[in-house]
Amino acid sequence: MLRIAVQAKGRLNEQSMELLNAAGVSVNMEKRKFLMRAEGFPAEIILLRDDDIPQTVALGAADIGIVGYNEVAEKDMDVNVLQKLGFGGCRISLAVPKTANYTGLDYFNGKRVATSYPEILRKFFADNNIDAEIHTITGSVEIAPAAGLADAIFDIVSSGGTLVSNGLVEVEKVLFSEAVLIGNPDISEEKMALARQLMSRFEAVRNGIGKKYLLLNIPVSALDEAISLLPAMRSPTVIPLANSEWCSLQTVVDEKNLWNLIESLKSIGAEGILVLSLDKIVL
Ligand code: ATP
Ligand code: MG
């Protein structure tokens, strides 16, 4: 039985639970409890504050966990980062009031910087020989400069909207983060096998994101040209049709370029184009 730590509520909860569900680890969230037995996989989910996930995994109270890489870096616990999960993307940046005359990192010498990530910041300043005062705040860091509590902040940024509305500008991007799967380093071989199984399922789920399955009929005379338009994982599937002048072509395509591709295929004679949604790709 693999115990998996997941953020109880907050930004990563929903996508973590969706990913687990798509990987065949489902729990009944209506009967939400702190510890829930999963269906379909020998696992249980433990719901925690994200701050507690690195330590819980390091101590072995959970075997693996899903948490923002920023929390892993800040807590500096003995855990292995097993896999990047491709959601919860953000960065931790230094920001100063827009009225400040910022010319470079030296600006921070002797300044007070408010943050909820003191350890990451301490390391960054030490690496860059900056001598600043770090003030740890757990609440709304972005209001600290306006409140006279700090000269600058070091905080999570995703769109940058919060900074702008507080009269701040991002001046240094220090750490890029996304949700990651972490594991206890001393996990048993049996549990590691389950963790690996989950990792390959997560990868299959991620591979299917933004992809569609395309089916179409094309005159045999235009087949080579059609194939040259298609990106395929290996090569597209070509199936003969009852009418020997036509064949059916099937392949996986990126949703991004879908309409351009469909129009190009139509212009060389493709007909009966079907676009099907695609769930998982096991490579
Ligand atoms: P908890 O109650 O579990 O301690 P929290 O308030 O500390 O939650 P959330 O705001 O839910 O944390 O954010 C969880 C994680 O989501 C962050 O640690 C970070 O990895 C990621 N994240 C992505 N974008 C953002 C953003 N714009 N602001 C904050 N976190 C973000
Ligand atoms: Mg937290």
Side-chain angles (χ1 to χ4, degrees), residues 7-13 48-52 67-71 88-91 117 156-159 162 177-179:
Q7 190 188 22
K9 20 183 203 238
R11 286 170 201 265
L12 301 181
N13 169 267
L48 299 170
R49 282 202 60 185
D50 69 347
D51 312 57
D52 298 331
V67 67
Y69 179 70
N70 50 306
E71 289 298 327
C90 59
R91 55 190 186 269
Y117 294 93
I156 294 191
V157 181
S158 52
S159 67
T162 311
S177 176
E178 66 183 91

